[in-house]
């Protein structure tokens, strides 16, 4: 048997924490001296303590920890739960990192206020194009929502086209439409000459009679820079935008987003 102090030292926790676990029934001492009230623990209780600490450190509440350890899960079952929780935490970390990157990009925009030349904007006609596409719903037009929907769509699209023996003949295009309840329908498309595939829609991407366009170089997290340059050009030249921008991928580097090149195409009209 170990005193509470010794058990805490071997388990690398505090005695105060053990007293709290005792108070809430999460980890009771093996023996409590009736005369002195001293708590004593057995070596077998390290098994429960290890589970408690692992689950708590992965973000489970003490109530959830209580339920899990009382279920007497095997080490294999517990490892499966821990892996799932680990994946959730890694996803949260990735989202937090993306938010920080977005804030950095927004701060750079603020620093460039008043210094946004529009010389790179080109007004052009975009011809109709035969495309193969897949689409899905995003919760919003926010990049944090769009990215996780759009990227898998392109992967699935190229995989299905390859299985059907259809070869793309142009640059990938992403475009967007309003859907129900303020959600966004995201389209991942690529031009094709011919062919059909049962699980891919073959359709025509309509022409844009007039589109304000700009070539964006770099990570799409920096897209606001180019989009706001387009907005300034549209306003300065007396046009009005019509819907969301199309995003044409001109260069893609899986390893380094800084090498990406996209063309943004916003349909515009000039009021009479």
């Amino acid at each position: 048997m170990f005193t509470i102090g010794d058990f805490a030292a071997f388990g690398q926790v505090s005695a105060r924490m053990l007293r709290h676990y005792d108070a809430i029934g999460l980890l009771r001492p093996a023996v409590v001296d009736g005369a002195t009230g001293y708590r004593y623990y057995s070596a077998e209780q390290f098994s429960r303590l290890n589970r408690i600490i692992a689950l708590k450190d992965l973000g489970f509440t003490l109530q959830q920890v209580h339920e899990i350890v009382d279920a007497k899960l095997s080490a294999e079952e517990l490892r499966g739960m821990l892996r799932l929780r680990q994946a959730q935490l890694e996803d949260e970390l990735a989202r937090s990192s993306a938010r920080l990157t977005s804030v950095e990009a927004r701060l750079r925009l603020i620093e460039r206020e008043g210094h946004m030349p529009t010389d790179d904007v080109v007004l052009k006609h975009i011809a109709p194009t035969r495309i193969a596409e897949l689409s899905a719903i995003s919760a919003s037009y926010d990049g944090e929502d769009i990215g996780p929907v759009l990227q898998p769509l392109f992967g699935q699209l190229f995989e299905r086209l390859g299985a059907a023996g259809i070869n793309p003949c142009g640059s990938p295009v992403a475009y967007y439409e309003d859907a129900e309840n303020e959600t966004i329908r995201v389209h991942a498309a690529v031009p094709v000459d011919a062919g059909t595939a049962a699980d891919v829609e073959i359709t025509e991407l309509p022409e844009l009679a007039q589109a304000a366009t700009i070539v964006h170089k770099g990570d799409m997290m920096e897209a606001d820079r180019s989009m706001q340059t387009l907005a300034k050009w549209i306003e300065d030249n007396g046009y009005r935008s019509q819907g969301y921008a199309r995003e044409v991928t001109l260069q893609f580097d899986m390893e380094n987003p800084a090498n990406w090149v996209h063309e943004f195409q916003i349909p515009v009209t000039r009021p009479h």
Side-chain angles (χ1 to χ4, degrees):
M1 289 292 211
F2 302 93
T3 65
I4 188 171
D6 288 341
F7 188 77
F10 281 116
Q12 296 188 308
V13 296
S14 68
R16 179 184 56 80
M17 183 179 292
L18 291 177
R19 293 189 187 96
H20 179 59
Y21 291 167
D22 181 14
I24 63 176
L26 183 56
L27 180 59
R28 300 286 194 189
V31 174
V32 177
D33 189 301
T36 64
Y38 289 167
R39 300 171 172 86
Y40 296 92
Y41 295 81
S42 70
E44 291 182 352
Q45 291 182 283
F46 286 122
S47 175
R48 185 176 179 92
L49 177 64
N50 290 337
R51 284 164 168 75
I52 291 170
I53 299 304
L55 291 165
K56 184 174 72 70
D57 286 350
L58 280 171
F60 289 101
T61 67
L62 289 181
Q63 178 61 39
Q64 291 170 327
V65 170
H66 205 318
E67 294 171 359
I68 293 170
V69 295
D70 281 351
K72 300 186 184 302
L73 300 178
S74 68
E76 183 178 351
E77 291 172 321
L78 185 58
R79 182 172 293 280
M81 293 188 65
L82 297 186
R83 283 175 176 163
L84 176 61
R85 183 59 177 163
Q86 182 180 23
Q88 292 171 339
L89 291 174
E90 288 173 349
D91 181 64
E92 292 172 11
L93 181 61
R95 287 179 174 273
S96 295
S97 178
R99 281 194 292 271
L100 287 174
T101 301
S102 177
V103 170
E104 288 180 3
R106 191 69 63 170
L107 287 174
R108 283 192 286 272
L109 271 178
I110 293 171
E111 292 166 353
R112 294 177 68 248
E113 287 175 353
H115 305 280
M116 297 178 68
T118 58
D119 298 345
D120 294 335
V121 177
V122 176
L123 185 68
K124 64 172 72 171
H125 168 261
I126 308 296
T129 308
R130 187 174 188 268
I131 58 169
E133 71 165 30
L134 293 176
S135 67
I137 296 295
S138 170
S140 75
Y141 191 60
D142 191 301
E144 286 189 8
D145 292 325
I146 292 290
V149 176
L150 183 60
Q151 293 168 12
L153 279 181
F154 272 117
Q156 295 167 24
L157 176 63
F158 283 109
E159 182 178 340
R160 295 180 186 183
L161 290 177
I166 301 175
N167 294 318
C169 62
S171 299
V173 182
Y175 69 101
Y176 312 94
E177 298 174 313
D178 288 323
E180 296 180 352
N181 301 319
E182 300 184 355
T183 60
I184 300 293
R185 179 161 290 280
V186 178
H187 298 260
V190 65
V192 293
D193 281 331
T196 59
D199 50 0
V200 173
E201 182 176 359
I202 306 295
T203 186
E204 183 177 88
L205 189 62
E207 73 169 347
L208 299 180
Q210 292 185 107
T213 68
I214 190 170
V215 173
H216 174 77
K217 299 178 180 179
D219 196 325
M220 289 296 279
M221 295 296 291
E222 301 271 358
D224 289 341
R225 164 171 47 88
S226 295
M227 290 297 292
Q228 291 185 21
T229 298
L230 276 176
K232 186 176 187 302
W233 183 93
I234 289 169
E235 183 177 86
D236 289 349
N237 289 275
Y239 286 90
R240 288 183 182 171
S241 59
Q242 304 289 312
Y244 298 101
R246 293 179 185 176
E247 301 164 3
V248 182
T249 302
L250 303 179
Q251 180 174 302
F252 184 78
D253 184 340
M254 183 70 73
E255 301 298 327
N256 189 1
N259 294 329
W260 293 354
V261 181
H262 291 79
E263 182 179 70
F264 299 152
Q265 305 170 343
I266 296 186
V268 294
T269 60
R270 192 191 293 274
H272 296 296

